[in-house]
Amino acid sequence: MSASLDIRLKRANKVYHEGEVLAGVVAIVSKEAVQHQGITLTMEGIVNLQLSSKSVGVFEAFYNSVKPIQLITSNIEVVKQGKVPGGKTEIPFEFPLHTKGNKVLYETYHGVFVNIQYTLRCDMKRSLLAKDLSKTCEFMVHSLPQKAKLQPTPVDFTITPETLQNVRERSLLPKFLIRGHLDATNCVITKPLTGELVVESSDVAIKSIELQLVRVETCGCAEGYARDATEIQNIQIAEGDVCHSLPIPIYMVFPRLFTCPTLETINFKVEFEVNVVIVLHDEHLITENFPLKLCRA
C-alpha cells in the first residue's frame, strides 16, 4: 500500500516577502485509507556558513563549520493522529512570515561559503511497520525594495600597461589601449549590467574579451574572518582580434539564487564584483576589477 506526500504552494514562482503569508496545500494520494500518527509541517529559514580550508586549514575547516544562524522557525500540526481516506486528499495550510525579535529575513542566496535557504518540510508519522513519509520543498524570500531612489554611478575606465597592478616585468608587456565605461556599479538586481568597451590599439592580437561575475563571501568566527572570492559566471563578449575603435557592448544578467542584494551582517558578508578580462594571443591576461553594489528597487 503506497501513499505519496506532496507540498504545493499557492504561488507558482514560490517567491515571498517578509510579512506575507506562505499558503498552500499538503496533498496526500493513496489507493487505500492510510493510518498515521499525525501530520506536521515545519518551516525553517537558516544561514549556513562554511569556513574554507584555504583560510583556516583543512582539518580546522572540517570542525569549524560555523554554527548555522536560524532566521525563522515555525511548526504546526496539520492533522492529528487518525486515518486519511483513499484517493486524493488536500489539506490547506498558512504560515505568516514574521520574525521574532530583531531578526531579519535575508534574501535567498546559494553561495559557496554562505547559504541562505528557506524550506518547508511535511512529516507523516506512521506505525512501526509502515515507513514514515516526508517531503521537503524550498521557497524563495526576496528582500523588500529599498525606498530611496537609486542614483546610477557610471564608471569610465582606461586600461594601458601603465595602469596595471601586480605586474612582474612591465617592460615585457605589449603596448595596448582599451577604454570603456560601465553605466552603473550600484545595480538593480533585476536589471542587466550594461556598458561599452573599445579597443583603441593593441600590438598583440586579442584572443578573447570576457566578463566575469565574482562573489566575495566573508565568514566570521572566533578564530577570525575568512574572505573568499569565487566565480559565479563568465560571459564572452568578444572573440578573436576585434576591430579597433569599434564599441563592444557590455551586457550581463544577474543569475537568480546565485546573486542577492549586497549583504553585510555581524557574522557574514556577501559582496559582488565584476572583472573585465582581456586575453591576448601571447597568453597575457589583463583584468580590470569593479566592485558592485546590488539592491532591489
Side-chain angles (χ1 to χ4, degrees), residues 157-160 175-181 196-204 206 209 241-248 278:
F157 60 88
T158 303
I159 311 171
T160 64
K175 290 270 180 286
F176 55 83
L177 171 60
I178 295 152
R179 293 185 208 277
H181 69 269
E196 206 170 75
L197 180 139
V198 180
V199 179
E200 299 287 2
S201 63
S202 176
D203 287 357
V204 176
I206 288 171
I209 302 175
D241 198 12
V242 295
C243 295
H244 293 184
S245 303
L246 177 78
I248 298 163
I278 294 127

Side-chain angles (χ1 to χ4, degrees), residues 139-206:
F139 63 94
M140 267 62 87
V141 169
H142 279 182
S143 52
L144 294 164
Q146 62 173 42
K147 292 186 172 70
K149 197 168 187 320
L150 196 69
Q151 293 298 328
T153 48
V155 174
D156 292 315
F157 60 88
T158 303
I159 311 171
T160 64
E162 288 70 43
T163 62
L164 298 180
Q165 295 166 341
N166 304 333
V167 180
R168 286 207 187 100
E169 291 187 41
R170 207 175 287 274
S171 59
L172 297 176
L173 280 176
K175 290 270 180 286
F176 55 83
L177 171 60
I178 295 152
R179 293 185 208 277
H181 69 269
L182 293 177
D183 294 331
T185 52
N186 49 355
C187 309
V188 176
I189 201 164
T190 49
K191 291 181 180 168
L193 171 76
T194 55
E196 206 170 75
L197 180 139
V198 180
V199 179
E200 299 287 2
S201 63
S202 176
D203 287 357
V204 176
I206 288 171

Side-chain angles (χ1 to χ4, degrees), residues 13-189:
N13 66 356
K14 298 184 178 179
V15 174
Y16 294 85
H17 298 89
E18 188 169 344
E20 291 184 341
V21 172
L22 180 71
V25 294
V26 171
I28 303 153
V29 179
S30 69
K31 286 180 181 170
E32 301 165 36
V34 179
Q35 193 84 33
H36 63 86
Q37 314 288 308
I39 301 170
T40 57
L41 259 180
T42 307
M43 174 184 66
E44 204 168 38
I46 277 183
V47 181
N48 280 310
L49 303 177
Q50 184 75 46
L51 291 181
S52 77
S53 55
K54 180 175 72 100
S55 307
V56 290
V58 179
F59 294 109
E60 290 91 333
F62 188 71
Y63 294 113
N64 273 347
S65 292
V66 190
K67 201 171 159 212
I69 302 162
Q70 196 157 58
L71 302 175
I72 189 168
T73 181
S74 188
N75 192 302
I76 51 171
E77 188 176 44
V78 185
V79 182
K80 286 188 162 52
Q81 180 178 346
K83 229 181 208 185
V84 176
K88 186 176 177 182
T89 307
E90 288 190 348
I91 306 155
F93 66 83
E94 283 189 355
F95 273 112
L97 289 174
H98 292 301
T99 53
K100 291 190 177 90
N102 57 357
K103 288 192 174 171
V104 179
L105 292 186
Y106 304 127
E107 182 153 330
T108 300
Y109 168 71
H110 291 203
V112 178
F113 304 106
V114 177
N115 234 352
I116 304 168
Q117 203 166 12
Y118 297 88
T119 53
L120 257 183
R121 197 182 79 240
C122 182
D123 292 298
M124 182 197 270
K125 293 266 182 285
R126 295 166 79 187
S127 61
L128 290 170
L129 297 172
K131 195 174 154 206
D132 289 353
L133 292 179
S134 187
K135 177 77 179 178
T136 304
C137 138
E138 185 182 359
F139 63 94
M140 267 62 87
V141 169
H142 279 182
S143 52
L144 294 164
Q146 62 173 42
K147 292 186 172 70
K149 197 168 187 320
L150 196 69
Q151 293 298 328
T153 48
V155 174
D156 292 315
F157 60 88
T158 303
I159 311 171
T160 64
E162 288 70 43
T163 62
L164 298 180
Q165 295 166 341
N166 304 333
V167 180
R168 286 207 187 100
E169 291 187 41
R170 207 175 287 274
S171 59
L172 297 176
L173 280 176
K175 290 270 180 286
F176 55 83
L177 171 60
I178 295 152
R179 293 185 208 277
H181 69 269
L182 293 177
D183 294 331
T185 52
N186 49 355
C187 309
V188 176
I189 201 164

